[in-house]
Amino acid sequence: MKVCGVELKGNEAIICLINKSDGMIDLPDCRVAKFDITEPSKTESIRDFQFKFKKLMEDYQVDAVVIKERVMKGKFAGGAVGFKLEAAIQLIETVEVEVLPAMDQKASLKRAPEMLRVKEIGLKGFQQEAYETGFAFLNL
């Protein structure tokens, strides 16, 4: 199964592709590490973001997109733009989209301690959360 882990941060969606087959984890090369949205108040920007994200998922034949859940209230609440991006991803009909609660992610990562840090496997440091989200989903 090939998944795309997603962390939404500010006005960008940070992604990491992870493939699991026969119990082995593989990180396929991907032409994009993150998507930015420049004008989140414009409908055309949201549609452009959604089109590019959908195209990437189709090109890499991704089975599921897993978004790291963000809290809606409080000190660490996600921003409005992030929730717009989340909705745009969730409305893509050609791929299964899951929002992974932080509790489930934490429990899954605790059961699978063999997970590596992104720098050890050739990813960029800012992709750590996206990688952990996808990895946790594959090990639920």
Side-chain angles (χ1 to χ4, degrees):
M1 171 178 235
K2 190 181 290 184
V3 301
C4 177
V6 179
E7 179 193 17
L8 299 171
K9 194 179 226 180
N11 66 338
E12 59 189 16
I14 301 166
I15 67 166
C16 179
L17 297 182
I18 305 169
N19 188 34
K20 184 176 184 179
S21 62
D22 299 327
M24 299 295 291
I25 298 287
D26 175 38
L27 299 173
D29 287 332
C30 185
R31 67 178 178 259
V32 177
K34 63 183 174 179
F35 290 94
D36 292 341
I37 186 164
T38 53
E39 297 181 79
S41 60
K42 299 204 178 206
T43 304
E44 194 55 41
S45 289
I46 299 293
R47 285 188 179 137
D48 185 51
F49 166 82
Q50 186 183 45
F51 175 80
K52 288 177 182 174
F53 196 94
K54 178 182 175 183
K55 180 72 173 137
L56 187 78
M57 297 304 106
E58 289 170 355
D59 290 352
Y60 287 94
Q61 300 172 346
V62 172
D63 300 310
V65 174
V66 186
I67 302 171
K68 179 181 179 183
E69 183 181 57
R70 294 157 308 119
V71 292
M72 293 185 191
K73 295 180 181 179
K75 184 178 179 180
F76 300 106
V81 175
F83 287 110
K84 283 177 131 179
L85 298 179
E86 183 177 314
I89 294 169
Q90 287 177 315
L91 291 172
I92 296 172
E93 295 176 355
T94 56
V95 68
E96 175 190 342
V97 179
E98 298 283 336
V99 177
L100 186 64
M103 251 172 63
D104 292 349
Q105 179 175 337
K106 192 173 189 177
S108 177
L109 292 176
K110 194 178 230 184
R111 287 191 306 269
E114 70 275 359
M115 186 185 73
L116 299 170
R117 306 313 284 165
V118 291
K119 291 183 180 178
E120 297 169 1
I121 51 179
L123 296 174
K124 294 181 173 53
F126 64 84
Q127 290 178 290
Q128 182 71 39
E129 290 293 325
Y131 167 65
E132 288 179 4
T133 301
F135 186 88
F137 178 79
L138 287 171
N139 291 293
L140 283 177

